Amino acid sequence: MIKTTNLKETDQIQPLILRAYIAKKITAMMQEYQVDNLDDIGCFVILEKEEFACVPINELEFVEMLEIGVESYLHGVRIIDESYGEDIYLPVEVVRC
């Protein structure tokens, strides 16, 4: 599991296309909420497939399939409190014909 609460921590995210996507989303959220640190409003959690069992889908505000480049991810948001949430990404295998 990788948990990022600021732009510097995105350096550890793989693949690069997911890193760029999340960095762009972090920047947009910080501007939207007018904060200097993502820690004030939330975080991004990137899970391996076997780790997803620790975050039941029924705890997520919504779930969507997200395609970034040629990769697919299950994306959901878990609301922790009124002003803080976690964006959760799970890489998934998609059979393409």
Side-chain angles (χ1 to χ4, degrees), residues 34-84:
Q34 300 177 352
V35 295
D36 294 325
N37 188 339
L38 180 65
D39 234 356
D40 297 335
I41 54 175
C43 67
F44 291 81
V45 179
I46 296 86
L47 299 172
E48 297 291 333
K49 290 176 194 159
E50 57 275 0
E51 295 173 314
F52 196 63
C54 65
V55 181
I57 289 181
N58 63 349
E59 290 183 11
L60 302 179
E61 191 73 15
F62 72 87
V63 176
E64 66 179 352
M65 283 294 290
L66 178 64
E67 291 194 15
I68 304 173
V70 297
E71 301 293 328
S72 295
Y73 298 89
L74 186 66
H75 170 226
V77 173
R78 179 169 54 183
I79 304 301
I80 306 300
D81 64 33
E82 292 177 7
S83 61
Y84 192 87

Side-chain angles (χ1 to χ4, degrees), residues 3-4 11 22 27 30 42-43 73:
K3 184 175 181 178
T4 62
D11 291 348
I22 290 177
T27 301
M30 289 170 55
C43 67
Y73 298 89

Side-chain angles (χ1 to χ4, degrees), residues 12-30:
Q12 57 189 328
I13 297 173
Q14 294 296 330
L16 294 176
I17 196 159
L18 180 60
R19 178 190 309 170
Y21 177 85
I22 290 177
K24 184 176 178 181
K25 193 165 182 182
I26 287 172
T27 301
M29 286 178 69
M30 289 170 55

